Amino acid sequence: VQLQASGGGLVQPGGSLRLSCAASGRSFSTYNMAWFRQAPGKEREFVARISRSGGTYYSDSVKGRFTIARDNAKNTVYLQMNSLKSEDTAVYFCAAGSASVNLAEAFGSWGQGTQVTVSS
């Protein structure tokens, strides 16, 4: 599956953004989908995951502020980000995989990344 992420940008602290990730192919509904992020000088970290059945999982740092959702009819996964903080600044990547874990190594397909900058 090929993935195309979009929706990043510059936002003030406390603001909101919605990221989208469009997938090609007919088997989108069979994948677990996730968002990861990577800040400068840091390792890629898990943000959120949504299973094939719609179950959602979040890192502690974004729980209560971010929401992951999927629309299988549109082959798209979303990440709604509210109450953004400066520490959320990173390149955000969407990923698709078969395993039900939150590890980057378990995801075989990746989008190109979209920059999110939270700054006043």
Side-chain angles (χ1 to χ4, degrees):
V1 62
Q2 292 185 324
L3 305 174
Q4 180 75 34
S6 62
L10 173 65
V11 62
Q12 293 186 342
S16 299
L17 277 177
R18 188 177 80 155
L19 306 183
S20 299
C21 176
S24 64
R26 298 181 178 180
S27 57
F28 175 78
S29 63
T30 68
Y31 287 98
N32 293 302
M33 300 297 298
W35 289 93
F36 290 78
R37 67 186 181 186
Q38 188 165 17
K42 295 188 177 181
E43 294 186 353
R44 191 168 298 190
E45 66 171 351
F46 168 76
V47 175
R49 176 171 62 89
I50 185 165
S51 70
R52 291 179 290 267
S53 61
T56 57
Y57 310 85
Y58 299 93
S59 69
D60 288 343
S61 62
V62 307
K63 195 173 298 181
R65 300 188 297 122
F66 290 12
T67 302
I68 188 171
R70 67 190 299 161
D71 185 338
N72 289 337
K74 296 183 178 180
N75 282 8
T76 301
V77 62
Y78 304 98
L79 185 68
Q80 178 66 44
M81 305 185 294
N82 298 330
S83 302
L84 283 161
K85 306 175 181 179
S86 58
E87 50 263 44
D88 295 318
T89 295
V91 178
Y92 284 70
F93 299 88
C94 59
S98 300
S100 299
V101 294
N102 300 335
L103 300 174
E105 308 89 85
F107 290 84
S109 298
W110 292 82
Q112 84 288 3
T114 184
Q115 176 71 47
V116 172
T117 303
V118 184
S119 175
S120 56

